[in-house]
Amino acid sequence: MVPAAWSSTKLWQVVISGLSVLVMLSVCGLSSFFIVADERNGRVAAGLASADAPAAAVPRDISSRAVDPEPLTVEEVFPAGDITIDPQEPPYRLLKTQAEQRCRAAVAGEIGELLDDLGCSQVVRGTLRSPTGEYLITTGVFNLAEAAGAEWAHARIKPLVDEERGRFQGMIANEGTEAIALAAAQVGWHSQGHFLTYCVIARSDSEPVADDDPYARQILFDMLQLHLQTQVLDKRSRQPLDSDGA
């Protein structure tokens, strides 16, 4: 049974492909995911639209750092601190944030080499606790040089995970959150513009996260789709018009 706190967002069904197991942490990786809406959730849609849609905006190019040079900040990736998906439900509690120029701080193995080769200049990440308290999450954004590189990373990471040659790292926030770095976890990643987003999920009790865990799938959707894409990168890809309409 889905926790009551997530009742409104459970209507979204996530189909995950390419789950693999990593040595040491038994991390499950997905190289891509597809979101299928069985029903529109009126409260979530209305909340996102009213809170975030600008009165007037034009597209802004985020295909490379050459045209989008402004670095990411913690305030941009986590503007409200805690992450609220539905205003009528408890939020994901933000426990710790970090903006780091060394992208390898958030990964291990050959994924770090890949990101270096693709011109990764920074990673902004945060560790959160789920609304029910049962899960710990580290999620964030890597800033790569070009969209083509972000897309290549999105595709190339899966075989590195499958072959146990790299992994994303969870970030410990405080006492009691060690599971995000040490326990079996599930991880998802996606690309948008010259950015690569990711999310690591572990159970607070350090039990393994099952490949078909519906709560973990919901968290992936909430973090990668509803937060990092809709709330962060979609905003970055829009340029508000001046008050005079210019």
Side-chain angles (χ1 to χ4, degrees):
M1 181 178 297
V2 177
W6 291 354
S7 60
S8 66
T9 54
K10 181 61 179 73
L11 299 173
W12 294 90
Q13 184 181 60
V14 181
V15 180
I16 298 178
S17 66
L19 292 177
S20 306
V21 178
L22 280 180
V23 70
M24 295 179 64
L25 298 184
S26 298
V27 177
C28 295
L30 56 86
S31 64
S32 60
F33 64 96
F34 302 90
I35 309 305
V36 179
D38 291 331
E39 286 183 47
R40 293 253 180 213
N41 184 294
R43 287 185 294 164
V44 172
L48 293 176
S50 62
D52 303 305
V58 294
R60 180 169 178 262
D61 189 356
I62 61 168
S63 62
S64 72
R65 276 205 309 272
V67 296
D68 177 38
E70 191 69 23
L72 292 164
T73 64
V74 167
E75 291 74 22
E76 180 178 5
V77 179
F78 302 101
D82 295 344
I83 295 177
T84 298
I85 300 300
D86 185 334
Q88 300 187 40
E89 296 181 351
Y92 289 87
R93 293 294 182 188
L94 185 62
L95 306 177
K96 179 180 178 179
T97 59
Q98 181 187 64
E100 172 66 64
Q101 293 183 341
R102 192 172 61 91
C103 296
R104 286 174 179 259
V107 295
E110 293 183 32
I111 295 178
E113 298 172 18
L114 174 66
L115 295 177
D116 284 349
D117 290 343
L118 295 173
C120 188
S121 63
Q122 63 170 160
V123 58
V124 177
R125 58 179 175 162
T127 292
L128 306 100
R129 192 178 295 276
S130 69
T132 64
E134 297 177 41
Y135 295 82
L136 293 165
I137 304 113
T138 294
T139 192
V141 187
F142 294 96
N143 189 339
L144 305 186
E146 296 179 339
E151 292 171 3
W152 172 243
H154 176 267
R156 182 63 187 134
I157 285 169
K158 183 183 186 302
L160 295 180
V161 170
D162 287 348
E163 297 163 18
E164 302 177 352
R165 293 159 56 191
R167 64 176 182 268
F168 291 95
Q169 303 271 47
M171 180 175 65
I172 296 173
N174 50 41
E175 186 175 356
T177 64
E178 294 83 1
I180 191 61
L182 302 176
Q186 194 173 106
V187 59
W189 59 92
H190 201 59
S191 63
Q192 184 174 352
H194 65 99
F195 301 102
L196 180 75
T197 62
Y198 77 102
C199 178
V200 180
I201 305 164
R203 289 180 55 95
S204 299
D205 59 10
S206 296
E207 290 296 315
V209 179
D211 292 354
D212 60 352
D213 186 327
Y215 308 149
R217 294 182 178 191
Q218 185 64 56
I219 292 169
L220 286 175
F221 179 58
D222 287 350
M223 295 296 107
L224 295 177
Q225 181 77 14
L226 294 183
H227 180 61
L228 293 178
Q229 178 178 318
T230 304
Q231 300 292 301
V232 179
L233 296 182
D234 280 358
K235 282 185 176 181
R236 193 176 181 95
S237 67
R238 297 192 302 258
Q239 179 65 52
L241 292 175
D242 296 335
S243 58
D244 61 3

